[in-house]
Amino acid sequence: FRDLEESGEAFGLLMLDIDRFKLVNDGYGHANGDRALRMVAWTMANAVRRLDQAGRWGGEEFLVIVPGAGHNLLSSIAERIRALVERSWLGLEDGREIRLTVSIGAAQARRGEEAESLVARADRALYSCKEAGRNRVLCED
Protein backbone atom coordinates (compact mmCIF):
# COMPACT_ATOMS: atom_id res chain seq x y z
CA PHE A 1 0.00 0.00 0.00
CA ARG A 2 2.77 2.38 0.96
CA ASP A 3 4.30 2.55 -2.54
CA LEU A 4 0.92 3.33 -4.08
CA GLU A 5 0.17 5.96 -1.47
CA GLU A 6 3.55 7.63 -1.94
CA SER A 7 3.04 7.74 -5.70
CA GLY A 8 -0.18 9.71 -5.19
CA GLU A 9 -1.97 7.31 -7.53
CA ALA A 10 -5.58 6.41 -6.75
CA PHE A 11 -6.11 2.79 -5.81
CA GLY A 12 -8.76 0.60 -4.34
CA LEU A 13 -9.10 -2.61 -2.44
CA LEU A 14 -11.48 -5.51 -3.01
CA MET A 15 -12.20 -8.00 -0.26
CA LEU A 16 -13.87 -11.22 -1.43
CA ASP A 17 -15.42 -13.93 0.65
CA ILE A 18 -16.78 -17.22 -0.68
CA ASP A 19 -20.42 -17.45 0.32
CA ARG A 20 -21.35 -20.33 2.64
CA PHE A 21 -17.97 -22.00 2.18
CA LYS A 22 -18.37 -24.10 5.35
CA LEU A 23 -21.11 -26.02 3.52
CA VAL A 24 -18.58 -26.98 0.83
CA ASN A 25 -16.14 -28.43 3.34
CA ASP A 26 -18.94 -30.14 5.28
CA GLY A 27 -20.73 -31.50 2.22
CA TYR A 28 -17.87 -32.36 -0.14
CA GLY A 29 -14.87 -32.78 2.16
CA HIS A 30 -11.82 -30.61 2.80
CA ALA A 31 -9.91 -31.87 -0.24
CA ASN A 32 -12.70 -30.66 -2.51
CA GLY A 33 -12.91 -27.49 -0.45
CA ASP A 34 -9.23 -26.88 -1.24
CA ARG A 35 -9.94 -27.49 -4.93
CA ALA A 36 -12.82 -25.01 -4.73
CA LEU A 37 -10.52 -22.40 -3.17
CA ARG A 38 -8.06 -22.87 -6.03
CA MET A 39 -10.88 -22.54 -8.57
CA VAL A 40 -11.97 -19.22 -7.08
CA ALA A 41 -8.35 -18.01 -6.92
CA TRP A 42 -7.77 -18.97 -10.56
CA THR A 43 -11.02 -17.33 -11.68
CA MET A 44 -10.19 -14.17 -9.74
CA ALA A 45 -6.63 -14.02 -11.06
CA ASN A 46 -7.91 -14.28 -14.62
CA ALA A 47 -10.56 -11.61 -14.08
CA VAL A 48 -8.25 -8.82 -12.94
CA ARG A 49 -5.84 -6.67 -14.91
CA ARG A 50 -2.11 -7.46 -15.07
CA LEU A 51 -1.24 -4.60 -12.75
CA ASP A 52 -3.72 -5.65 -10.06
CA GLN A 53 -2.40 -7.72 -7.16
CA ALA A 54 -4.63 -10.57 -5.99
CA GLY A 55 -4.03 -13.01 -3.16
CA ARG A 56 -5.57 -15.06 -0.43
CA TRP A 57 -6.20 -13.12 2.76
CA GLY A 58 -7.06 -16.13 4.90
CA GLY A 59 -9.62 -18.91 5.10
CA GLU A 60 -12.00 -18.30 2.22
CA GLU A 61 -11.20 -14.59 1.89
CA PHE A 62 -9.17 -12.91 -0.84
CA LEU A 63 -7.87 -9.38 -1.42
CA VAL A 64 -7.23 -7.53 -4.66
CA ILE A 65 -5.26 -4.27 -4.77
CA VAL A 66 -6.43 -2.27 -7.77
CA PRO A 67 -4.05 0.58 -8.75
CA GLY A 68 -5.42 3.55 -10.63
CA ALA A 69 -8.98 2.65 -9.71
CA GLY A 70 -11.69 5.16 -9.08
CA HIS A 71 -15.11 4.10 -7.86
CA ASN A 72 -16.42 3.04 -11.31
CA LEU A 73 -13.41 0.91 -12.26
CA LEU A 74 -13.29 -0.68 -8.82
CA SER A 75 -16.98 -1.60 -9.05
CA SER A 76 -16.56 -2.91 -12.59
CA ILE A 77 -13.65 -5.21 -11.72
CA ALA A 78 -15.46 -6.47 -8.63
CA GLU A 79 -18.60 -7.23 -10.62
CA ARG A 80 -16.59 -9.06 -13.30
CA ILE A 81 -15.01 -11.28 -10.63
CA ARG A 82 -18.39 -11.92 -8.97
CA ALA A 83 -20.07 -12.86 -12.25
CA LEU A 84 -17.23 -15.14 -13.39
CA VAL A 85 -17.16 -17.02 -10.09
CA GLU A 86 -20.94 -17.42 -10.24
CA ARG A 87 -20.66 -18.99 -13.71
CA SER A 88 -17.76 -21.31 -12.75
CA TRP A 89 -18.06 -24.80 -11.35
CA LEU A 90 -15.90 -27.61 -10.10
CA GLY A 91 -16.72 -31.07 -11.45
CA LEU A 92 -16.31 -33.98 -9.05
CA GLU A 93 -15.47 -37.57 -9.94
CA ASP A 94 -18.96 -38.74 -8.97
CA GLY A 95 -20.57 -36.33 -11.44
CA ARG A 96 -21.63 -33.73 -8.88
CA GLU A 97 -20.66 -30.10 -9.30
CA ILE A 98 -19.63 -27.51 -6.77
CA ARG A 99 -20.94 -24.07 -7.67
CA LEU A 100 -19.96 -21.06 -5.64
CA THR A 101 -20.71 -17.39 -5.29
CA VAL A 102 -18.71 -14.60 -3.70
CA SER A 103 -19.56 -11.40 -1.93
CA ILE A 104 -17.20 -8.50 -2.56
CA GLY A 105 -16.65 -5.38 -0.51
CA ALA A 106 -14.69 -2.57 -2.14
CA ALA A 107 -13.17 0.64 -0.85
CA GLN A 108 -11.15 3.36 -2.54
CA ALA A 109 -8.09 4.47 -0.58
CA ARG A 110 -8.20 7.93 0.93
CA ARG A 111 -5.11 10.13 0.90
CA GLY A 112 -3.07 9.45 4.04
CA GLU A 113 -5.24 6.50 5.10
CA GLU A 114 -3.58 3.67 7.00
CA ALA A 115 -3.78 0.21 5.42
CA GLU A 116 -5.72 -1.13 8.42
CA SER A 117 -8.42 1.50 7.92
CA LEU A 118 -8.77 0.70 4.21
CA VAL A 119 -9.04 -3.03 4.94
CA ALA A 120 -11.61 -2.35 7.66
CA ARG A 121 -13.76 -0.27 5.27
CA ALA A 122 -13.63 -2.98 2.58
CA ASP A 123 -14.48 -5.56 5.24
CA ARG A 124 -17.52 -3.55 6.39
CA ALA A 125 -18.73 -3.31 2.80
CA LEU A 126 -18.24 -7.08 2.44
CA TYR A 127 -20.34 -7.80 5.51
CA SER A 128 -23.04 -5.46 4.26
CA CYS A 129 -23.15 -7.70 1.14
CA LYS A 130 -23.56 -10.76 3.34
CA GLU A 131 -26.36 -9.14 5.31
CA ALA A 132 -28.11 -8.12 2.07
CA GLY A 133 -28.21 -11.71 0.80
CA ARG A 134 -24.74 -12.55 -0.57
CA ASN A 135 -23.49 -12.88 -4.17
CA ARG A 136 -23.18 -9.15 -4.63
CA VAL A 137 -20.76 -6.23 -4.74
CA LEU A 138 -20.80 -3.15 -2.56
CA CYS A 139 -18.34 -0.35 -3.20
CA GLU A 140 -18.08 1.98 -0.23
CA ASP A 141 -18.01 5.68 -1.08
Side-chain angles (χ1 to χ4, degrees), residues 28-84:
Y28 300 98
H30 289 276
N32 285 319
D34 288 345
R35 290 179 61 214
L37 285 170
R38 286 193 300 274
M39 179 194 74
V40 170
W42 184 89
T43 302
M44 179 185 62
N46 284 284
V48 299
R49 305 167 305 165
R50 286 183 176 216
L51 60 117
D52 300 333
Q53 297 293 312
R56 189 168 171 197
W57 182 244
E60 66 273 8
E61 291 186 330
F62 298 86
L63 289 181
V64 182
I65 299 171
V66 186
H71 186 275
N72 290 342
L73 179 59
L74 199 56
S75 294
S76 175
I77 291 171
E79 181 57 30
R80 181 171 56 239
I81 294 168
R82 188 208 60 76
L84 287 171

Side-chain angles (χ1 to χ4, degrees), residues 94-135:
D94 63 6
R96 293 182 297 167
E97 295 177 346
I98 298 175
R99 292 189 176 266
L100 301 169
T101 60
V102 293
S103 296
I104 304 174
Q108 188 174 7
R110 298 174 180 152
R111 185 170 298 283
E113 181 175 29
E114 294 289 325
E116 293 81 15
S117 173
L118 177 61
V119 170
R121 289 191 304 112
D123 191 49
R124 279 193 302 273
L126 168 64
Y127 278 92
S128 292
C129 290
K130 297 286 190 178
E131 290 173 358
R134 297 179 174 83
N135 191 26

